[in-house]
Amino acid sequence: HFYSHIGIDPRAIGRALWADIRHGGVVQGGSTLTQQLVKNFFLDSERTLTRKLNEAAMALLLEWHYSKDDILETYMNEIYLGQDRERAIHGFGLASQFYFNRSLAELSPQQQALLVALVKGPSYYDPRSHPDRALARRNLVLEQMAQAGLLPADRVRTAERQPLGVTPRPQSVAFHPAFL
């Protein structure tokens, strides 16, 4: 509901609250993408009511001052998508280079789908460590792309048969913190 909510999604919050009550603890989140962006940029991850209220208020302000496309673009450039030893991989552009040694514009639909698949759990779906999980998740994203009308069904079937195509883990250049 990204394009229809106002920065917070009361339905998602209610659904998460109900799930948490039923299970006697936190089992589901109700944060919008805007709230996640606010948390990652301005707040910490501590699970307190005060932080959640601040996050909600800041998300409303962010939505008031910026367009949905600007918020989405910022989120896509900030989101965590993997780990290269000490360096966190943030954003789809860097992830494209890290996993495929190509720019985003050069990626095939199945490679784009793999990057989207990583959003749910970059470590759990890491294509180098867990290729079977990554392949299943990538194919699910491809199916969703077809359902959304982003890819024709025949291209999805072809893409699903393709290997993950990630490059071997690149050699990292270690930088001294003082240098950075």
Side-chain angles (χ1 to χ4, degrees):
H1 304 290
F2 175 70
Y3 281 100
S4 61
H5 68 62
I6 59 170
I8 59 172
D9 185 348
R11 285 179 35 198
I13 294 169
R15 181 195 68 239
L17 183 60
W18 179 246
D20 293 348
I21 290 169
R22 280 194 342 241
H23 290 92
V26 179
V27 295
Q28 193 174 111
S31 295
T32 64
L33 185 147
T34 308
Q35 287 176 274
Q36 292 173 36
L37 185 63
V38 163
K39 181 186 75 167
N40 291 346
F41 270 159
F42 304 113
L43 303 171
D44 56 31
S45 296
E46 97 179 287
R47 288 184 164 182
T48 64
L49 183 59
T50 302
R51 191 206 38 96
K52 287 302 280 183
L53 292 172
N54 283 334
E55 178 184 291
M58 292 170 78
L60 291 168
L61 288 169
L62 197 65
E63 293 268 349
W64 179 267
H65 290 286
Y66 295 96
S67 73
K68 289 285 191 176
D69 288 342
D70 287 341
I71 293 168
L72 184 59
E73 180 179 353
T74 303
Y75 181 82
M76 291 173 66
N77 284 317
E78 183 279 330
I79 190 166
Y80 174 75
L81 292 169
Q83 192 72 30
D84 180 19
R85 296 169 186 83
E86 299 84 27
R87 177 180 69 153
I89 305 300
H90 285 274
F92 284 92
L94 184 57
S96 176
Q97 289 294 326
F98 178 65
Y99 291 109
F100 303 110
N101 200 26
R102 294 182 177 176
S103 71
L104 273 174
E106 298 174 288
L107 296 186
S108 65
Q110 64 268 14
Q111 290 169 323
Q112 294 170 3
L114 178 60
L115 294 184
V116 172
L118 290 172
V119 171
K120 184 163 176 81
S123 298
Y124 187 81
Y125 295 107
D126 182 330
R128 294 185 181 112
S129 301
H130 308 288
D132 293 338
R133 289 180 196 164
L135 187 67
R137 181 76 185 159
R138 180 205 68 184
N139 289 349
L140 175 65
V141 171
L142 284 166
E143 291 293 332
Q144 292 174 339
M145 290 170 75
Q147 289 174 9
L150 300 172
L151 268 182
D154 61 327
R155 287 198 59 199
V156 167
R157 285 189 295 278
T158 301
E160 287 176 333
R161 290 190 298 268
Q162 301 302 311
L164 291 172
V166 295
T167 60
R169 186 173 294 278
Q171 291 295 323
S172 282
V173 177
F175 289 102
H176 190 275
F179 174 78
L180 292 177

